[in-house]
């Protein structure tokens, strides 16, 4: 088993540009955490040290119920891979967000009503009030950095780009969520750009798709806002909605339009957001949220247990498993043909304490499931690799000019049941969810699932 210091590494939870995040169990206490691991050699020549130090220095001083807390940190640890190869790393042991990413939940169980969105928006604003009040801005607000805990509370993650400066210049963040002033290369306020991204996130919670691709006057959706024609923006977005413009309440439209203004001066402050009509409308109680979410989860679990549907029985050319088998390091780089595939893969263990919404269960046997994964990979990917050690594969998919890389793990859930879970490694989250749904269908016996298509 792979280890890092006192932690056993169970499997990958996700990865970002600079790190790999592993589900880890403490060797002595058995506690679970999310271990964010960064290679050290990569760090010293790429400014990585600064990013990690910054993340640790900022997180050390933070503690809030809607923020992922830092449990431990080490800058001199050895990461021992399953095959015995070792590597010098930094790590951050983070409080585990057992509920996975909020947006996987929305993508899999449906959009939120404005009331439910308000509940989470309140929690997000609580996190911002705390952060901004402490002089910290997050600067990388996006769906994949918003997680849920076991109790369906929002947890803000990933402080890698956070800043304690009032004015910032460096271009940090992710293109689709950046405020226009960052695209323009201007000096900007970290707190302003956090609130801009919060507007995008709120829109996505209710609409289930982003408001625009990029906050640039050239973007077909954003140009309506930058030209002060938010009426056109809402007209465009209402076209495919069941009840047209009424899909969004007038108070919602007003708040979003102002939060997404081109000119930062015109955007409401946090206090003004909190004073808005939309913010102050009724909110579900915590009990109501729990009840609704448990129902959503139960419906999803029911729909995703596919015991009665055998996987497709098409023959797989055995070379599929070996011809593109490569080794993957912490940095994600691939060393082609580094190792011959081992014939004794071990099946990773399913950890019931950690849920994600992009997983389903099957009672088919392990080899058939693995074959099905190979068939699927062969059909939809531009490139894929199988792990030589585990029942796991990394798939690279190009769809509508957007690339997504995902890892699919087959886990042993006991009782002859296997869990098939998808983890997004990089790329577009909406494409990822689309591909995940196609895969789920494919495993359900619909072997002629059509090519994936993105909704947006
Ligand atoms: P990066 O700075 O490289 O983007 P993140 O901190 O955003 O790394 O983590 C990458 C991914 O790992 C996240 O999108 C999420 O899926 C997963 N992850 C991160 N932190 C946690 C956590 N505390 N609990 C569970 N999963 C996590
Ligand atoms: Mg991240």
């Amino acid at each position: 088993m792979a280890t890092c210091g006192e932690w056993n590494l169970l499997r990958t939870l996700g990865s970002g540009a600079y790190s790999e995040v592993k589900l880890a169990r403490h060797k002595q206490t058995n506690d679970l955490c999310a271990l964010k691991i960064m290679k050290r050699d990569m760090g010293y020549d790429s400014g990585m040290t600064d990013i990690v130090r910054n993340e640790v220095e900022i997180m050390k001083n933070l503690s809030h119920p809607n923020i992922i807390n830092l449990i431990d940190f080490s800058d001199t640890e050895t990461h021992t891979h399953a095959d015995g190869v070792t590597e010098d790393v930094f790590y951050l042991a983070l409080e585990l967000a057992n509920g996975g990413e909020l947006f996987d939940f929305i993508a899999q169980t449906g959009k939120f009503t404005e009331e439910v969105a308000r509940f989470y928006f309140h929690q997000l604003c609580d996190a911002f009030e705390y952060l901004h009040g402490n002089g910290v801005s997050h600067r990388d607000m996006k769906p994949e950095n918003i997680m849920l805990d076991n109790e369906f509370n929002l947890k803000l993650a990933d402080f890698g780009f956070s800043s304690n400066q009032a004015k910032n210049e460096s271009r940090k963040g992710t293109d689709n969520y950046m405020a226009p002033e960052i695209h323009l290369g201007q000096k900007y306020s970290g707190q302003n750009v956090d609130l801009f991204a919060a507007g995008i996130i709120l829109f996505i919670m209710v609409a289930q798709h982003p408001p625009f691709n990029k906050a640039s006057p050239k973007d077909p959706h954003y140009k309506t806002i930058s030209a002060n024609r938010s009426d056109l923006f809402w007209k465009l977005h209402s076209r495919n909605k069941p009840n047209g413009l009424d899909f969004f309440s007038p108070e919602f439209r007003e708040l979003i339009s102002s939060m997404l203004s081109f000119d930062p001066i015109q955007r409401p402050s946090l206090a003004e957001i909190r004073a808005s009509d939309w913010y102050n409308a009724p909110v579900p109680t915590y009990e109501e949220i729990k009840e609704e979410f448990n129902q959503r989860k139960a419906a999803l679990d029911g729909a995703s247990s596919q015991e009665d549907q055998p996987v497709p029985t098409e023959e797989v050319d055995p070379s599929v498993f070996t011809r593109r088998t490569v080794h993957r390091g912490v940095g994600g780089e691939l060393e082609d043909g580094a190792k011959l595939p081992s014939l004794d893969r071990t099946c990773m263990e399913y950890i019931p304490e950690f849920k994600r919404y992009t997983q389903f269960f099957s009672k088919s046997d392990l080899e058939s499931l693995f074959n099905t994964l190979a068939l699927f990979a062969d059909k939809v990917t531009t490139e894929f690799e199988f792990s030589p050690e585990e029942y796991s594969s990394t798939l690279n998919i190009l769809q509508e000019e957007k690339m997504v890389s995902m890892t699919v793990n087959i886990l042993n859930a006991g009782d002859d049941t296997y869990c098939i879970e998808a983890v997004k490694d990089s790329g577009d989250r909406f494409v990822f969810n689309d591909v995940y749904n196609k895969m789920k269908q494919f495993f359900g016996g619909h072997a002629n699932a059509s090519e994936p298509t993105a909704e947006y």
Side-chain angles (χ1 to χ4, degrees), residues 216-233:
S216 138
K218 292 200 188 104
D219 182 278
H221 288 91
Y222 194 69
K223 77 174 175 211
T224 58
I225 292 184
S226 62
N228 274 321
R229 289 298 306 270
S230 57
D231 58 319
L232 292 178
F233 174 83

Side-chain angles (χ1 to χ4, degrees), residues 312-336:
T313 49
E314 226 173 291
E315 282 294 313
V316 182
D317 175 352
S319 72
V320 162
F321 293 109
T322 54
R323 68 188 145 149
R324 280 180 274 187
T325 299
V326 283
H327 230 48
R328 185 175 281 276
V330 172
E333 76 278 38
L334 306 170
E335 302 156 31
D336 213 355

Side-chain angles (χ1 to χ4, degrees), residues 93-113:
L94 299 163
E95 177 189 5
L96 182 66
N98 305 65
E101 294 176 23
L102 175 69
F103 279 78
D104 286 332
F105 188 80
I106 296 178
Q108 292 305 315
T109 73
K111 55 186 171 294
F112 288 173
T113 61

Side-chain angles (χ1 to χ4, degrees), residues 25-242:
R25 199 199 294 276
H26 197 272
K27 287 176 185 168
Q28 263 85 49
T29 63
N30 274 339
D31 285 346
L32 291 172
C33 86
L35 206 70
K36 184 166 178 172
I37 303 176
M38 289 144 282
K39 252 190 194 176
R40 274 179 51 179
D41 56 356
M42 190 169 98
Y44 288 125
D45 27 300
S46 65
M48 258 301 299
T49 326
D50 296 342
I51 293 183
V52 180
R53 298 245 172 264
N54 179 56
E55 186 166 2
V56 169
E57 282 313 309
I58 288 187
M59 291 198 83
K60 254 186 2 201
N61 299 313
L62 297 176
S63 166
H64 186 273
N66 298 116
I67 289 176
I68 295 279
N69 288 302
L70 181 67
I71 301 170
D72 191 17
F73 163 73
S74 167
D75 56 3
T76 50
E77 203 47 85
T78 306
H79 176 186
T80 309
H81 291 261
D83 58 9
V85 173
T86 60
E87 205 161 49
D88 290 339
V89 297
F90 301 103
Y91 79 66
L92 278 71
L94 299 163
E95 177 189 5
L96 182 66
N98 305 65
E101 294 176 23
L102 175 69
F103 279 78
D104 286 332
F105 188 80
I106 296 178
Q108 292 305 315
T109 73
K111 55 186 171 294
F112 288 173
T113 61
E114 287 190 20
E115 287 73 22
V116 173
R118 189 176 295 120
F119 179 90
Y120 284 103
F121 192 64
H122 283 189
Q123 292 198 341
L124 187 60
C125 287
D126 289 349
F128 279 146
E129 183 149 309
Y130 174 78
L131 278 185
H132 293 176
N134 281 289
V136 173
S137 52
H138 184 279
R139 297 200 302 165
D140 196 14
M141 283 301 305
K142 56 176 168 177
E144 34 276 85
N145 290 336
I146 299 184
M147 321 264 323
L148 290 174
D149 68 10
N150 252 347
E151 305 276 280
F152 305 116
N153 282 306
L154 177 149
K155 294 266 179 186
L156 199 51
D158 195 357
F159 286 77
F161 288 162
S162 58
S163 159
N164 44 23
Q165 312 289 313
K167 282 281 171 203
N168 296 276
E169 268 180 289
S170 56
R171 190 186 164 87
K172 289 279 158 63
T174 306
D175 252 33
N176 315 66
Y177 302 91
M178 277 182 191
E181 58 270 29
I182 309 183
H183 290 304
L184 292 171
Q186 296 167 351
K187 276 199 177 171
Y188 63 91
S189 139
Q191 306 190 353
N192 277 353
V193 306
D194 278 353
L195 295 179
F196 184 87
I200 300 180
I201 285 163
L202 175 57
F203 181 96
I204 298 174
M205 282 191 219
V206 171
Q208 226 182 357
H209 59 76
F212 43 75
N213 255 324
K214 188 174 167 181
S216 138
K218 292 200 188 104
D219 182 278
H221 288 91
Y222 194 69
K223 77 174 175 211
T224 58
I225 292 184
S226 62
N228 274 321
R229 289 298 306 270
S230 57
D231 58 319
L232 292 178
F233 174 83
W234 292 106
K235 212 168 146 186
L236 276 176
H237 277 303
S238 303
R239 268 191 323 208
N240 302 318
K241 296 285 180 279

